[in-house]
Amino acid sequence: MNAIQKSQPVWLVLCNAPDLACAERLAQGLISEQLAACVNLLSPVQSIYRWQGQIEQATEIPLLCKTTATAYPAVERYLQQHHPYETPEIIAWPVAAGLPAYLTWVNNETISSQGNTQC
């Protein structure tokens, strides 16, 4: 980041993928496009939800993406365009506090652009 750029607030983005291969592709795409500085692939979770009037159940892989407020719209677009679900879970919240050096690192590794990989 050059000296005249202002540090952006860091955000966490949660998105569940249907399997590990898809989660890895989404994470690699976000990182290679510098839309996120880091993406953690968490342990599989069992999700139970209502979809189109039916109760559904699925094993999913959560992705926890570290990005900036400025890059979030591009992260959302990327995930929506490259996710196999019709309506993927994409939720975000701002980081209230964190190690300043880590938050600076997230800013330095994140730009606002769009990616091209698909699941």
Side-chain angles (χ1 to χ4, degrees):
M1 176 184 306
N2 84 37
I4 61 171
Q5 288 180 310
K6 185 179 179 203
S7 181
Q8 293 294 311
V10 171
W11 282 24
L12 295 175
V13 180
L14 177 65
C15 180
N16 285 337
D19 55 48
L20 183 58
C22 180
E24 289 173 344
R25 286 190 295 273
L26 290 170
Q28 288 287 339
L30 289 167
I31 297 302
S32 68
E33 296 295 325
Q34 292 184 279
L35 299 177
C38 175
V39 178
N40 299 118
L41 306 184
L42 304 179
S43 296
V45 296
Q46 194 66 25
S47 298
I48 300 171
Y49 53 93
R50 185 176 305 280
W51 179 249
Q52 297 179 344
Q54 300 294 317
I55 295 177
E56 302 284 340
Q57 187 167 331
T59 300
E60 298 177 302
I61 306 295
L63 287 81
L64 185 58
C65 312
K66 282 67 138 221
T67 191
T68 62
T70 300
Y72 173 75
V75 170
E76 182 182 286
R77 275 191 308 274
Y78 180 91
L79 290 171
Q80 190 171 20
Q81 289 172 358
H82 299 97
H83 201 289
Y85 292 171
E86 180 181 336
T87 306
E89 173 185 18
I90 304 171
I91 57 174
W93 59 98
V95 173
L99 180 68
Y102 182 81
L103 301 178
T104 297
W105 173 78
V106 171
N107 269 269
N108 290 342
E109 295 300 320
T110 304
I111 62 171
S112 188
S113 63
Q114 293 193 34
N116 297 314
T117 61
Q118 289 190 340
C119 284

